[in-house]
Amino acid sequence: MIIGLDVGGTHADIVLLGPEGVRARAKVDTDPDDLGATLLEALDRVLHATEPTAVRRVVLSTTLTTNAVVGAGLSPVGMLVCAGPGVDPALYRTGEHYAVVPGAIDHRGREISPLDLDAVDLCAERFAAAGIRYVGVVGKFSTRNPAHELGIAERIAERFERVFTGHRVSGQLNFPRRIATTHLAASVYPLHRNFYEAIAEALRTRGVSAPVHLLKADGGTLSLAASLDSPAETVLSGPAASVMGAIPVASPEEDVVVLDIGGTTTEIALLSGGSPLLEPLGITIGATRTLIRALLSRSIGVGGDSEVRCVEGKITIGPRRLGAPLARGGPALTPTDALIALGESERGDPQVATAGVAELAAELGCEPAMAARAVIDHACRRIMAAVDGLVDQVNGSHVDTIHELLDGHRIRPARILVLGGPAESLAPHLARRSQLPVELVPDSGVANAIGAAMARPTDALSLIADTEQGWVSCSGSDRQWRCDRSYRREQALEQARALLFERLGPEAGTPELEVVEDLEFNIVRGFSTVGRNIRLTLQVKPGLLEPFTPEHAKVAVC
Amino acid sequence: MLSARHETGLVLFPAFDWAIEATHPEREERLLYTRDQICEEGLLDLEGVREYRPEPVSVADVQRVHFCPSGVETVAGESHRIAAGGALRLARAWHAGDIERGFALVRPPGHHAQRVMHGGRGFCAINNEAIMIEALRQQHDIRRVAIIDTDCHHGDGTQDIYWHDPDVLFISIHQDGRTLYPGTGFMDEQGGPNAVGATVNIPLPPRTSDAGYLEIVRDTVLPILEDFEPELVINSAGQDNHFADPLTDMDFSARGYAELTRLLAPDLAVLEGGYSIESALPYINMGILLAMTGLESDHVVEPYRRPSGGVQPEEITEAVRRIGTRTRAVWAKREQRQAQLHAVSDECAHRTREIYYDTIDAFEHQHEAVRLCRHCGGALRIATRIGDGPQTLAVHVPLYACDDCRRAALRWFELAPDEGFAAAFLQDRPADRYLIR
Ligand SMILES: [Zn+2]
Ligand SMILES: [Zn+2]
Ligand SMILES: [Zn+2]
């Protein structure tokens, strides 16, 4: 048995999956002031269908931390940064408590100016005096050599409740994003810890002792315990659940577009070879660009409840949502009203919808039926244009080699899968607008909960070796070890693989790893080779734990 | 979030799977540390910076500029056509108004590639800038272009291609040819008889520092640019003037490069040489890119000692000043000198040259004739052979050729077999066609 639980700001969804499919599901209201009570209530609604001890996995996804980030309900964080040549690091200030300390590492991980520990002490003192309890420490090129970050962290560890370092966040190069991500991790930490404790407590109370996982923004999972070290990873996992839920109906032989059509927005994602594509660097939350691995997705402000207006004789849709559709007591005309007026959706008062559409038709100077069709057509066109834009962007993204440029894989979608509230009524219209077949994800109400429940653990690891300097280091860990001139890519690959499996833990089994960066260069002095620069990045592709067919989703016993 | 003051397009194509040879300066990791630095600085995330993916240029794009008697494919491989394509991609984005400026960080370089190419020269096979410019001029209403070549080596290839074109101003600032490959680029090389003064060579003495370099740009290059009124300004942005470069002897810094870029304010910059791949390129490229976007670059400082301390010897300051004065004087008299030349002329002007190919260790023998013309760049014919090989005729009709010049050129091409040429090639630019017979 697997429990999938999605805790949103207003309500929480829970499903209990057995080998035969969905065994129980429920929706409860979220009590933001008593998370424990919400969780207990949700658990009680499904645990009647099984013994608590028969549950072997629990996966949660939540938007609570996202809401806190967007709503600025976060604790103050101190940031200690060291930079070196480049853009003025003062420009990356995260808030009031931000200090740049002397010390610099270069692109090959060599120290180019020493760390100033006295300056570190002074800043730490100031932070402590201001009541700061959580600190982020970030160095430029710290993924090449974490020595300065580690030096600072060690120096200040006992003054603060928790210190986060930048090189643990990601193996990717991007100093401003590393600062932003580390800052985010430190600021959501206390909130996340409360969440963690509430979950652990609720499950203990109900006798569930199965391993607990959190869904991440990349559509993979992370063990609850490990999430305390990287709390930012679980921010914004909401969109990932739906995309994961579409995987069972997508053929692994095709490139597929997934459209999650909601009330306010439509989220677009791409599947290739049965796995979702990932953002090249990380997710953007509000205006903040991060290094948090995430599904590649685009959101456009067109949904079932988007406001429809007539501006200078032309239809505009969104990006605002003023409330429910007119036909369901809302304040403004929406695409859903157009569907209701055309008799293609039954959930609402057709007379109200028709009256709303007639008003628009008068402004446009056309027949009401034509106005309704024009609204739907406009919405579909906007969505399809955004799909084309995303595909073009992926196919035009950065490459480093002639081979990738000329022979690299290009995304060519063969099918569009839609889910979400208005999906069923909009699907035929989208199909008319597109050369591709459009299919509905069956029973899309539980698809996302199943997606979360069945998602497998993911992780990525970057290894970099510099045989001239004689060291190897790995992202996401503090480990560095020596190597000699004879160290080769094959050894590096083996070590990286072993480390990644160790980090994933035994529960993940031995999933297939994908090598996403594989570079080896000579280091040349004058005209002779003095060493090698090896760079590897390995990742577990997001995917489902075991085969899960659409039939499983259909057996809904409530 | 930081945003660029100028919308800037970037092509960052390091071609990690291509090298001339394993330890050759033009090798796989040449842009590795530059890419690292640009990625780590997050410059691709800047609001207003857009990255473009290059597309290889076509054979026709190459033939608009070059005669390759042995075929385009034998001279230019995929890497060369992608490098030129990177530059062209940005030029198109610039012309479409999608970006205000563009910087093509591509390799291999191209500024030693001349109009006739029998093989590679000085790490170059085809001229990235010329291919970009000519594609743009052919398809759009752009005529007057200025190229400022700030590579440390003389841009002899670009000079050759635009030698007779009065609508393209070519300025090369480089280390004195008596001390460095290719041994040309002296002040008396000033353009062909129909384009007198449109080629400007500024050879600087070894050890010229930021002060001298920037003074020449401010006091001499910028006024000339202003006089010329180009519609498009290109910077052939070689990075081998840096004090850490292993192949040259100049004393320029990363901040100097940023200031240079700010002064020139090119519409498009294309990387040329620069071989201090760890110590200089990451910082220079960051400086150039920040300057292109209009952001400050005061913190872009090389993290190690500069042997000269950045101080320029007095005698160099004076030598540079003399070069500037002479260059300005020559520029002021260009129209007068062209009129004098045309007053005494007959039908054609001739020049004979021996061109060394370092890659195949052979000499090309060229005899060139250009029709003197007051209305256009003039019909151009080049008789060329490698060593004792067969004579080939290359005929070029300029894009803005007058009717007389075009007729004369077509006739040369027609008569080539009668004159005993083994093969003849025609670049008929007004018709955008390339013929072989
Ligand atoms: Zn050069
Ligand atoms: Zn002659
Ligand atoms: Zn003419």
mmCIF file of all heavy atoms in Angstrom, chain A residues 327-358:
data_model
loop_
_atom_site.group_PDB
_atom_site.id
_atom_site.type_symbol
_atom_site.label_atom_id
_atom_site.label_comp_id
_atom_site.label_asym_id
_atom_site.label_seq_id
_atom_site.Cartn_x
_atom_site.Cartn_y
_atom_site.Cartn_z
ATOM 1 N N ALA A 327 -21.576 31.557 -14.792
ATOM 2 C CA ALA A 327 -22.602 30.521 -14.684
ATOM 3 C C ALA A 327 -22.550 29.797 -13.344
ATOM 4 O O ALA A 327 -23.466 29.047 -13.005
ATOM 5 C CB ALA A 327 -22.454 29.526 -15.824
ATOM 6 N N ARG A 328 -21.447 30.000 -12.597
ATOM 7 C CA ARG A 328 -21.391 29.402 -11.248
ATOM 8 C C ARG A 328 -21.309 30.503 -10.205
ATOM 9 O O ARG A 328 -20.655 30.369 -9.182
ATOM 10 C CB ARG A 328 -20.169 28.481 -11.146
ATOM 11 C CG ARG A 328 -20.305 27.257 -12.047
ATOM 12 C CD ARG A 328 -19.069 26.390 -12.026
ATOM 13 N NE ARG A 328 -18.962 25.630 -13.267
ATOM 14 C CZ ARG A 328 -17.828 25.146 -13.744
ATOM 15 N NH1 ARG A 328 -16.685 25.347 -13.089
ATOM 16 N NH2 ARG A 328 -17.816 24.473 -14.863
ATOM 17 N N GLY A 329 -21.915 31.634 -10.512
ATOM 18 C CA GLY A 329 -22.026 32.717 -9.539
ATOM 19 C C GLY A 329 -20.844 33.652 -9.500
ATOM 20 O O GLY A 329 -20.708 34.463 -8.586
ATOM 21 N N GLY A 330 -19.963 33.576 -10.460
ATOM 22 C CA GLY A 330 -18.779 34.438 -10.468
ATOM 23 C C GLY A 330 -19.063 35.815 -11.033
ATOM 24 O O GLY A 330 -20.177 36.087 -11.496
ATOM 25 N N PRO A 331 -18.040 36.710 -10.991
ATOM 26 C CA PRO A 331 -18.231 38.107 -11.367
ATOM 27 C C PRO A 331 -17.974 38.408 -12.845
ATOM 28 O O PRO A 331 -18.365 39.476 -13.316
ATOM 29 C CB PRO A 331 -17.182 38.841 -10.522
ATOM 30 C CG PRO A 331 -16.078 37.838 -10.347
ATOM 31 C CD PRO A 331 -16.706 36.457 -10.415
ATOM 32 N N ALA A 332 -17.270 37.542 -13.576
ATOM 33 C CA ALA A 332 -16.874 37.914 -14.937
ATOM 34 C C ALA A 332 -17.019 36.742 -15.888
ATOM 35 O O ALA A 332 -16.987 35.584 -15.483
ATOM 36 C CB ALA A 332 -15.428 38.417 -14.949
ATOM 37 N N LEU A 333 -17.140 37.095 -17.177
ATOM 38 C CA LEU A 333 -17.226 36.082 -18.224
ATOM 39 C C LEU A 333 -15.902 35.320 -18.301
ATOM 40 O O LEU A 333 -14.825 35.905 -18.176
ATOM 41 C CB LEU A 333 -17.516 36.768 -19.560
ATOM 42 C CG LEU A 333 -17.755 35.829 -20.755
ATOM 43 C CD1 LEU A 333 -19.079 35.090 -20.604
ATOM 44 C CD2 LEU A 333 -17.716 36.608 -22.068
ATOM 45 N N THR A 334 -15.978 33.989 -18.534
ATOM 46 C CA THR A 334 -14.787 33.146 -18.598
ATOM 47 C C THR A 334 -14.908 32.174 -19.773
ATOM 48 O O THR A 334 -16.019 31.982 -20.296
ATOM 49 C CB THR A 334 -14.637 32.303 -17.310
ATOM 50 O OG1 THR A 334 -15.739 31.378 -17.280
ATOM 51 C CG2 THR A 334 -14.642 33.156 -16.059
ATOM 52 N N PRO A 335 -13.813 31.539 -20.156
ATOM 53 C CA PRO A 335 -13.896 30.509 -21.199
ATOM 54 C C PRO A 335 -14.888 29.397 -20.824
ATOM 55 O O PRO A 335 -15.576 28.857 -21.689
ATOM 56 C CB PRO A 335 -12.472 29.970 -21.286
ATOM 57 C CG PRO A 335 -11.616 31.121 -20.882
ATOM 58 C CD PRO A 335 -12.404 31.822 -19.805
ATOM 59 N N THR A 336 -14.964 29.072 -19.550
ATOM 60 C CA THR A 336 -15.907 28.045 -19.111
ATOM 61 C C THR A 336 -17.344 28.444 -19.438
ATOM 62 O O THR A 336 -18.158 27.617 -19.862
ATOM 63 C CB THR A 336 -15.751 27.799 -17.587
ATOM 64 O OG1 THR A 336 -14.398 27.428 -17.335
ATOM 65 C CG2 THR A 336 -16.677 26.715 -17.091
ATOM 66 N N ASP A 337 -17.684 29.752 -19.271
ATOM 67 C CA ASP A 337 -19.021 30.227 -19.627
ATOM 68 C C ASP A 337 -19.293 30.009 -21.105
ATOM 69 O O ASP A 337 -20.406 29.635 -21.489
ATOM 70 C CB ASP A 337 -19.160 31.723 -19.293
ATOM 71 C CG ASP A 337 -19.168 31.948 -17.783
ATOM 72 O OD1 ASP A 337 -19.949 31.266 -17.097
ATOM 73 O OD2 ASP A 337 -18.380 32.787 -17.307
ATOM 74 N N ALA A 338 -18.243 30.258 -21.931
ATOM 75 C CA ALA A 338 -18.412 30.062 -23.377
ATOM 76 C C ALA A 338 -18.744 28.606 -23.651
ATOM 77 O O ALA A 338 -19.616 28.298 -24.468
ATOM 78 C CB ALA A 338 -17.146 30.491 -24.107
ATOM 79 N N LEU A 339 -18.046 27.684 -22.949
ATOM 80 C CA LEU A 339 -18.310 26.248 -23.129
ATOM 81 C C LEU A 339 -19.731 25.904 -22.690
ATOM 82 O O LEU A 339 -20.436 25.135 -23.344
ATOM 83 C CB LEU A 339 -17.292 25.418 -22.335
ATOM 84 C CG LEU A 339 -15.868 25.401 -22.899
ATOM 85 C CD1 LEU A 339 -14.890 24.814 -21.885
ATOM 86 C CD2 LEU A 339 -15.826 24.589 -24.199
ATOM 87 N N ILE A 340 -20.154 26.487 -21.561
ATOM 88 C CA ILE A 340 -21.508 26.212 -21.055
ATOM 89 C C ILE A 340 -22.551 26.746 -22.029
ATOM 90 O O ILE A 340 -23.530 26.078 -22.354
ATOM 91 C CB ILE A 340 -21.694 26.826 -19.645
ATOM 92 C CG1 ILE A 340 -20.749 26.130 -18.646
ATOM 93 C CG2 ILE A 340 -23.149 26.696 -19.171
ATOM 94 C CD1 ILE A 340 -20.638 26.808 -17.296
ATOM 95 N N ALA A 341 -22.321 27.949 -22.554
ATOM 96 C CA ALA A 341 -23.266 28.560 -23.490
ATOM 97 C C ALA A 341 -23.408 27.721 -24.756
ATOM 98 O O ALA A 341 -24.479 27.665 -25.359
ATOM 99 C CB ALA A 341 -22.804 29.973 -23.842
ATOM 100 N N LEU A 342 -22.300 27.077 -25.150
ATOM 101 C CA LEU A 342 -22.337 26.236 -26.344
ATOM 102 C C LEU A 342 -22.908 24.845 -26.054
ATOM 103 O O LEU A 342 -23.001 24.003 -26.949
ATOM 104 C CB LEU A 342 -20.929 26.081 -26.936
ATOM 105 C CG LEU A 342 -20.322 27.322 -27.605
ATOM 106 C CD1 LEU A 342 -18.851 27.106 -27.902
ATOM 107 C CD2 LEU A 342 -21.090 27.661 -28.880
ATOM 108 N N GLY A 343 -23.245 24.605 -24.786
ATOM 109 C CA GLY A 343 -23.784 23.309 -24.397
ATOM 110 C C GLY A 343 -22.735 22.219 -24.309
ATOM 111 O O GLY A 343 -23.041 21.034 -24.370
ATOM 112 N N GLU A 344 -21.469 22.615 -24.137
ATOM 113 C CA GLU A 344 -20.405 21.618 -24.097
ATOM 114 C C GLU A 344 -19.928 21.337 -22.681
ATOM 115 O O GLU A 344 -19.012 20.543 -22.473
ATOM 116 C CB GLU A 344 -19.224 22.077 -24.972
ATOM 117 C CG GLU A 344 -19.615 22.136 -26.440
ATOM 118 C CD GLU A 344 -18.495 22.632 -27.331
ATOM 119 O OE1 GLU A 344 -17.327 22.512 -26.911
ATOM 120 O OE2 GLU A 344 -18.802 23.129 -28.418
ATOM 121 N N SER A 345 -20.495 22.058 -21.729
ATOM 122 C CA SER A 345 -20.185 21.768 -20.338
ATOM 123 C C SER A 345 -21.480 21.956 -19.561
ATOM 124 O O SER A 345 -22.245 22.889 -19.829
ATOM 125 C CB SER A 345 -19.106 22.708 -19.807
ATOM 126 O OG SER A 345 -18.998 22.544 -18.406
ATOM 127 N N GLU A 346 -21.738 21.054 -18.608
ATOM 128 C CA GLU A 346 -23.017 21.127 -17.908
ATOM 129 C C GLU A 346 -22.932 21.711 -16.507
ATOM 130 O O GLU A 346 -23.940 21.917 -15.855
ATOM 131 C CB GLU A 346 -23.657 19.720 -17.852
ATOM 132 C CG GLU A 346 -24.581 19.487 -19.030
ATOM 133 C CD GLU A 346 -24.287 18.186 -19.727
ATOM 134 O OE1 GLU A 346 -24.049 17.182 -19.030
ATOM 135 O OE2 GLU A 346 -24.272 18.178 -20.969
ATOM 136 N N ARG A 347 -21.687 22.005 -16.064
ATOM 137 C CA ARG A 347 -21.531 22.419 -14.673
ATOM 138 C C ARG A 347 -21.734 23.930 -14.520
ATOM 139 O O ARG A 347 -20.789 24.677 -14.373
ATOM 140 C CB ARG A 347 -20.178 21.986 -14.148
ATOM 141 C CG ARG A 347 -20.026 20.455 -14.162
ATOM 142 C CD ARG A 347 -18.731 20.005 -13.500
ATOM 143 N NE ARG A 347 -18.511 20.698 -12.247
ATOM 144 C CZ ARG A 347 -17.437 21.435 -12.000
ATOM 145 N NH1 ARG A 347 -16.517 21.583 -12.913
ATOM 146 N NH2 ARG A 347 -17.297 22.028 -10.832
ATOM 147 N N GLY A 348 -22.997 24.370 -14.574
ATOM 148 C CA GLY A 348 -23.287 25.789 -14.403
ATOM 149 C C GLY A 348 -24.629 26.128 -15.010
ATOM 150 O O GLY A 348 -25.250 25.303 -15.683
ATOM 151 N N ASP A 349 -25.075 27.350 -14.754
ATOM 152 C CA ASP A 349 -26.377 27.780 -15.250
ATOM 153 C C ASP A 349 -26.241 28.277 -16.689
ATOM 154 O O ASP A 349 -25.652 29.331 -16.930
ATOM 155 C CB ASP A 349 -26.888 28.911 -14.328
ATOM 156 C CG ASP A 349 -28.283 29.378 -14.739
ATOM 157 O OD1 ASP A 349 -28.677 29.114 -15.901
ATOM 158 O OD2 ASP A 349 -28.943 30.006 -13.893
ATOM 159 N N PRO A 350 -26.822 27.555 -17.672
ATOM 160 C CA PRO A 350 -26.626 27.927 -19.077
ATOM 161 C C PRO A 350 -27.217 29.286 -19.421
ATOM 162 O O PRO A 350 -26.700 29.991 -20.277
ATOM 163 C CB PRO A 350 -27.328 26.800 -19.846
ATOM 164 C CG PRO A 350 -28.165 26.075 -18.860
ATOM 165 C CD PRO A 350 -27.596 26.325 -17.505
ATOM 166 N N GLN A 351 -28.293 29.671 -18.711
ATOM 167 C CA GLN A 351 -28.906 30.963 -19.027
ATOM 168 C C GLN A 351 -27.995 32.125 -18.686
ATOM 169 O O GLN A 351 -27.856 33.072 -19.447
ATOM 170 C CB GLN A 351 -30.236 31.104 -18.280
ATOM 171 C CG GLN A 351 -31.368 30.514 -19.108
ATOM 172 C CD GLN A 351 -32.639 30.438 -18.322
ATOM 173 O OE1 GLN A 351 -32.626 30.324 -17.092
ATOM 174 N NE2 GLN A 351 -33.758 30.476 -19.021
ATOM 175 N N VAL A 352 -27.359 32.016 -17.501
ATOM 176 C CA VAL A 352 -26.428 33.073 -17.081
ATOM 177 C C VAL A 352 -25.258 33.143 -18.059
ATOM 178 O O VAL A 352 -24.825 34.212 -18.478
ATOM 179 C CB VAL A 352 -25.918 32.810 -15.638
ATOM 180 C CG1 VAL A 352 -24.953 33.904 -15.208
ATOM 181 C CG2 VAL A 352 -27.083 32.693 -14.678
ATOM 182 N N ALA A 353 -24.733 31.971 -18.438
ATOM 183 C CA ALA A 353 -23.600 31.920 -19.358
ATOM 184 C C ALA A 353 -23.977 32.553 -20.699
ATOM 185 O O ALA A 353 -23.236 33.371 -21.253
ATOM 186 C CB ALA A 353 -23.152 30.477 -19.561
ATOM 187 N N THR A 354 -25.156 32.196 -21.201
ATOM 188 C CA THR A 354 -25.596 32.713 -22.495
ATOM 189 C C THR A 354 -25.751 34.232 -22.460
ATOM 190 O O THR A 354 -25.352 34.931 -23.392
ATOM 191 C CB THR A 354 -26.931 32.051 -22.886
ATOM 192 O OG1 THR A 354 -26.796 30.635 -22.777
ATOM 193 C CG2 THR A 354 -27.309 32.407 -24.311
ATOM 194 N N ALA A 355 -26.288 34.739 -21.339
ATOM 195 C CA ALA A 355 -26.456 36.189 -21.205
ATOM 196 C C ALA A 355 -25.088 36.882 -21.236
ATOM 197 O O ALA A 355 -24.904 37.917 -21.888
ATOM 198 C CB ALA A 355 -27.188 36.516 -19.903
ATOM 199 N N GLY A 356 -24.115 36.303 -20.535
ATOM 200 C CA GLY A 356 -22.750 36.872 -20.495
ATOM 201 C C GLY A 356 -22.125 36.890 -21.881
ATOM 202 O O GLY A 356 -21.539 37.894 -22.300
ATOM 203 N N VAL A 357 -22.288 35.785 -22.595
ATOM 204 C CA VAL A 357 -21.717 35.690 -23.936
ATOM 205 C C VAL A 357 -22.395 36.689 -24.878
ATOM 206 O O VAL A 357 -21.742 37.321 -25.708
ATOM 207 C CB VAL A 357 -21.832 34.243 -24.474
ATOM 208 C CG1 VAL A 357 -21.517 34.197 -25.965
ATOM 209 C CG2 VAL A 357 -20.907 33.311 -23.708
ATOM 210 N N ALA A 358 -23.721 36.858 -24.695
ATOM 211 C CA ALA A 358 -24.464 37.787 -25.552
ATOM 212 C C ALA A 358 -23.935 39.211 -25.395
ATOM 213 O O ALA A 358 -23.829 39.963 -26.361
ATOM 214 C CB ALA A 358 -25.952 37.730 -25.214
#
